[in-house]
Amino acid sequence: MDLHLEHIRREYSSRQLSRKDLPKEPLSIVAQWLEEAIEMKVNEPTAVIVATATPDGRPSMRTVLLKELLDDRFVFYSNYESRKGQQIALNRHVALTFLWHELERQIHIEGTIERLSPQESDAYFDQRPYKSRVGARISPQSRPIPSREYIMGLFAAESLRFIGRHIPRPEHWGGWAVTPQRIELWQGRDSRLHDRFLYEKDETTGEWTLHRIAP
Ligand SMILES: Cc1cc2nc3c(=O)[nH]c(=O)nc-3n(C[C@H](O)[C@H](O)[C@H](O)COP(=O)(O)O)c2cc1C
């Protein structure tokens, strides 16, 4: 099948990013860009694409929702036995991408990932809506299931089992935190001459270096 999309083209010109706008360390500007995306009411401002890879380097990606920026780490929640969970168990290197079309901005992050403590995961799980807690318990995320009816049946049975009671977090579900080593801020500009700034963390000193990189 052919699909011709060459005619779809627009310029990015709403904003710019200069070195003088940038702090010594990147986390505060990442937080600022997230807050601006939320204030601007862009669609799903906290959505972030998470790339994982097998130990031999086969990548896969999916979108999740960022729930916290905690101690300079990016926190999201998912199923530990999912496809991403299986890849993370064997390879702690991950990458994240935030894309805010309305702001003509994206951020790329690379780093390593670790699980939150069970207590931290419990604290977040307990504030989720009832149905989301039930869903997390019954869904064998990423694995084949026979039908929609099958999962709805599990959901109904589990909902009844816990009605009026505390629903405990299942062990297969919880938080992950990504510690960044590389953060790139991208601001779209005219003629595809975008502003790009790259922060890299020195592993021994913990200091961040900052470079403008070519569009
Ligand atoms: C906007 C959006 C937000 C999502 N948020 C989450 C999330 O926070 N946690 C999660 O496990 N899956 C979330 N998903 C579903 C994932 O993209 C994905 O389907 C699921 O985590 C299974 O991925 P895996 O099979 O690669 O492990 C979201 C999907 C979309 C489109």
Side-chain angles (χ1 to χ4, degrees):
M1 196 183 96
D2 293 347
L3 191 58
H4 292 285
L5 307 169
E6 308 92 302
H7 59 285
I8 297 184
R9 166 168 289 267
R10 63 175 257 252
E11 286 291 319
Y12 305 129
S13 55
S14 65
R15 289 176 173 73
Q16 40 184 279
L17 186 64
S18 10
R19 207 179 172 108
K20 65 173 171 39
D21 305 324
L22 296 173
K24 274 209 164 73
E25 55 68 43
L27 276 307
S28 56
I29 181 126
V30 171
Q32 185 190 316
W33 278 24
L34 265 161
E35 282 172 348
E36 285 173 21
I38 295 163
E39 274 163 28
M40 292 277 296
K41 302 199 185 313
V42 310
N43 211 2
E44 293 293 28
T46 63
V48 60
I49 296 169
V50 182
T52 56
T54 60
D56 62 344
R58 288 168 193 245
S60 66
M61 296 188 289
R62 75 289 295 155
T63 309
V64 299
L65 298 177
L66 186 80
K67 289 296 168 185
E68 248 174 330
L69 194 51
L70 187 68
D71 292 334
D72 291 351
R73 299 185 307 167
F74 295 85
V75 173
F76 66 91
Y77 293 84
S78 190
N79 185 309
Y80 289 142
E81 294 167 4
S82 61
R83 184 162 187 235
K84 74 183 90 49
Q86 291 175 19
Q87 294 189 347
I88 289 167
L90 300 173
N91 178 358
R92 291 177 54 234
H93 296 279
V94 300
L96 308 176
T97 291
F98 291 96
L99 169 60
W100 300 293
H101 290 285
E102 297 89 335
L103 297 166
E104 300 173 348
R105 282 177 175 167
Q106 68 176 344
I107 300 180
H108 295 311
I109 295 162
E110 292 173 21
T112 50
I113 191 165
E114 61 205 343
R115 287 187 187 190
L116 291 186
S117 69
Q119 295 74 23
E120 288 170 309
S121 291
D122 285 343
Y124 173 69
F125 187 80
D126 288 345
Q127 25 161 319
R128 299 183 87 212
Y130 183 80
K131 287 181 178 173
S132 307
R133 281 180 278 161
V134 174
R137 287 185 63 86
I138 55 97
S139 173
Q141 194 178 58
S142 316
R143 274 153 286 170
I145 50 170
S147 61
R148 175 95 198 158
E149 289 66 37
Y150 169 83
I151 202 81
M152 294 314 290
L154 293 181
F155 183 83
E158 195 76 345
S159 299
L160 282 177
R161 195 153 87 86
F162 283 99
I163 214 150
R165 291 198 288 139
H166 173 249
I167 312 177
R169 177 181 64 87
E171 275 185 23
H172 65 248
W173 192 96
W176 270 296
V178 176
T179 302
Q181 270 100 40
R182 189 182 196 279
I183 297 186
E184 182 203 318
L185 300 160
W186 183 99
Q187 178 72 64
R189 297 291 306 271
D190 278 332
S191 312
R192 302 293 187 254
L193 295 176
H194 315 298
D195 288 325
R196 296 178 68 191
F197 285 94
L198 174 63
Y199 286 93
E200 283 178 300
K201 192 174 192 174
D202 183 310
E203 287 305 299
T204 40
T205 63
E207 298 284 308
W208 289 95
T209 55
L210 172 60
H211 295 284
R212 182 185 272 272
I213 57 176

